[in-house]
Amino acid sequence: MRGRITKGIAGFYYVYVPHHGMYECKAKGIFRKNHLKPLVGDLVEVTVLDETLKLGNMIEVYERKNQLLRPTVANVDYALLIFSLVSPQPNLNLIDRLMIRYEMQKLPILLCFSKCDLVSEEEQKILKNIYQNCGSQLFFISAKESIGIEELRAALDGYTTTVAGPSGVGKSTLINLLQEQVVMETGNISQKIDRGKHTTRHSELIYVDDRTYIMDTPGFSSLELPDMEKEELKQYYYEFEAFEPECRFRECQHMQEPDCAVKAALLEGKISKERYDNYSQLYEELKKRRRY
Ligand code: GDP
Ligand code: ZN
């Protein structure tokens, strides 16, 4: 049977097999076969040792599509980045840092602004304008008033998504909401996580349905840029791309160079000031960074 590793604790792996349920497995012989250390998110072949006790053996790890770090998880399709419109206020610099981190790992990003029940349409519009050309799909949601949830659910359907964002933005509330239906439909509470208790969490793939999983990551309030050259930074600002061919210098970094088409677009309001400001801040930061 083919299953998905949802959690690994002390040599035991919890493998979910659609229509059969969760099996507690050990990895027998896998290491010798293709030298893959099983990861949360891996698709694996399971043989059942005891159906009543739900015990099994993992005999093979299937090839991975990708593998993310911090938390380590395999076969991820999307990164869902959540920031609240208010309490806490979105830190736009942090948004860019987080986007860069996941784009570097080649993950398409869903950028989600939460708690939209707490702010006016105008305030939402401001953020919409800043990020509308950033290359990521945007969502404005309220878990409290069920706004935008079905749209988001549809985007996640059939995929494995890693969820990240600062503490307090409503990640747990949203994940619980996405799971709610499952729990009601299947009566399977064992997969529902008690998120009220803030104990040390093992990274765990959360089951939404047989084809849909979510990986929660711990909240944070600051983030180092990944190791990169300052010249690489511009490639993460998707909205620059359309203007770059018109810059006088091919290697233009859109900072102090003359005849820079990106800065011209900025002055004309075709590139958002907030995005450009964060670009130049991060560029300076990379420039100062001591390289070994
Ligand atoms: P996490 O730290 O990102 O997991 O955030 P939580 O899910 O624990 O939520 C933090 C606080 O925001 C809690 O008091 C929630 O009740 C509140 N919250 C979450 N979603 C919403 C929302 O859509 N609207 C409003 N007004 N509050 C929300
Ligand atoms: Zn330029």
Side-chain angles (χ1 to χ4, degrees), residues 152-169:
L152 184 58
R153 197 193 288 280
L156 303 180
D157 184 43
Y159 296 107
T160 296
T161 303
T162 183
V163 181
S167 316
V169 298

Side-chain angles (χ1 to χ4, degrees), residues 87 114-118 141-145 166-174:
S87 67
S114 62
K115 307 196 188 183
C116 71
D117 55 288
L118 296 179
I141 66 157
S142 164
K144 196 175 172 193
E145 296 191 357
S167 316
V169 298
K171 288 196 302 296
S172 315
T173 309
L174 174 67

Side-chain angles (χ1 to χ4, degrees), residues 10 18 22 42 51 53 57 77 84 123 172 174 269 286:
M22 192 73 79
D42 267 330
E51 184 55 45
L53 296 175
N57 257 339
D77 301 302
S84 52
E123 284 171 278
S172 315
L174 174 67
L286 288 171

Side-chain angles (χ1 to χ4, degrees), residues 35-271:
H35 304 285
L36 280 181
K37 180 177 160 26
L39 297 178
V40 169
D42 267 330
L43 289 164
V44 293
E45 191 63 30
V46 171
T47 53
V48 176
L49 292 177
D50 188 322
E51 184 55 45
T52 330
L53 296 175
K54 290 282 184 198
L55 300 177
N57 257 339
M58 298 190 310
I59 53 168
E60 192 181 346
V61 174
Y62 290 105
E63 204 181 318
R64 280 170 199 149
K65 164 188 165 160
N66 61 17
Q67 176 180 334
L68 303 192
L69 299 168
R70 277 183 291 163
T72 311
V73 56
N75 301 316
V76 178
D77 301 302
Y78 283 112
L80 174 65
L81 312 186
I82 307 189
F83 287 83
S84 52
L85 289 156
V86 71
S87 67
Q89 294 274 357
N91 174 337
L92 306 193
N93 187 279
L94 194 57
I95 294 180
D96 284 15
R97 286 170 193 267
L98 199 58
M99 285 174 65
I100 292 165
R101 164 160 304 211
Y102 284 105
E103 277 176 31
M104 248 184 146
Q105 305 187 70
K106 307 258 185 294
L107 277 196
I109 290 168
L110 310 174
L111 180 57
C112 179
F113 291 100
S114 62
K115 307 196 188 183
C116 71
D117 55 288
L118 296 179
V119 303
S120 65
E121 290 274 341
E122 289 71 45
E123 284 171 278
Q124 294 179 43
K125 194 101 192 268
I126 294 172
L127 281 155
K128 235 171 240 170
N129 288 337
I130 297 173
Y131 292 100
Q132 64 184 352
N133 296 323
C134 74
S136 305
Q137 213 179 324
L138 297 185
F139 295 87
F140 287 79
I141 66 157
S142 164
K144 196 175 172 193
E145 296 191 357
S146 243
I147 302 166
I149 301 296
E150 287 318 307
E151 253 180 302
L152 184 58
R153 197 193 288 280
L156 303 180
D157 184 43
Y159 296 107
T160 296
T161 303
T162 183
V163 181
S167 316
V169 298
K171 288 196 302 296
S172 315
T173 309
L174 174 67
I175 291 171
N176 281 334
L177 192 65
L178 292 172
Q179 271 207 303
E180 212 91 296
Q181 203 180 333
V182 179
V183 174
M184 287 190 308
E185 278 173 6
T186 64
N188 172 10
I189 335 195
S190 64
Q191 258 281 301
K192 192 166 159 68
I193 297 160
D194 184 2
R195 313 193 75 81
K197 291 183 200 134
H198 284 281
T199 47
T200 351
R201 295 211 303 256
H202 289 268
S203 54
E204 173 161 8
L205 209 54
I206 301 165
Y207 169 96
V208 177
D209 63 44
D210 284 354
R211 302 153 53 241
T212 311
Y213 293 85
I214 288 175
M215 180 87 186
D216 194 9
T217 57
F220 55 85
S221 55
S222 69
L223 201 61
E224 283 268 342
L225 279 174
D227 188 27
M228 66 197 286
E229 302 288 342
K230 61 185 187 306
E231 290 79 12
E232 287 172 55
L233 185 63
K234 62 182 178 184
Q235 75 195 53
Y236 299 102
Y237 284 78
Y238 180 78
E239 56 270 69
F240 294 0
E241 220 169 74
F243 305 100
E244 283 176 328
E246 306 303 323
C247 291
R248 189 205 292 187
F249 300 106
R250 206 153 62 86
E251 294 307 310
C252 187
Q253 301 303 317
H254 323 312
M255 295 295 289
Q256 315 297 343
E257 297 91 336
D259 297 330
C260 169
V262 168
K263 289 192 92 168
L266 173 70
L267 290 175
E268 288 170 30
K270 291 177 181 163
I271 283 176

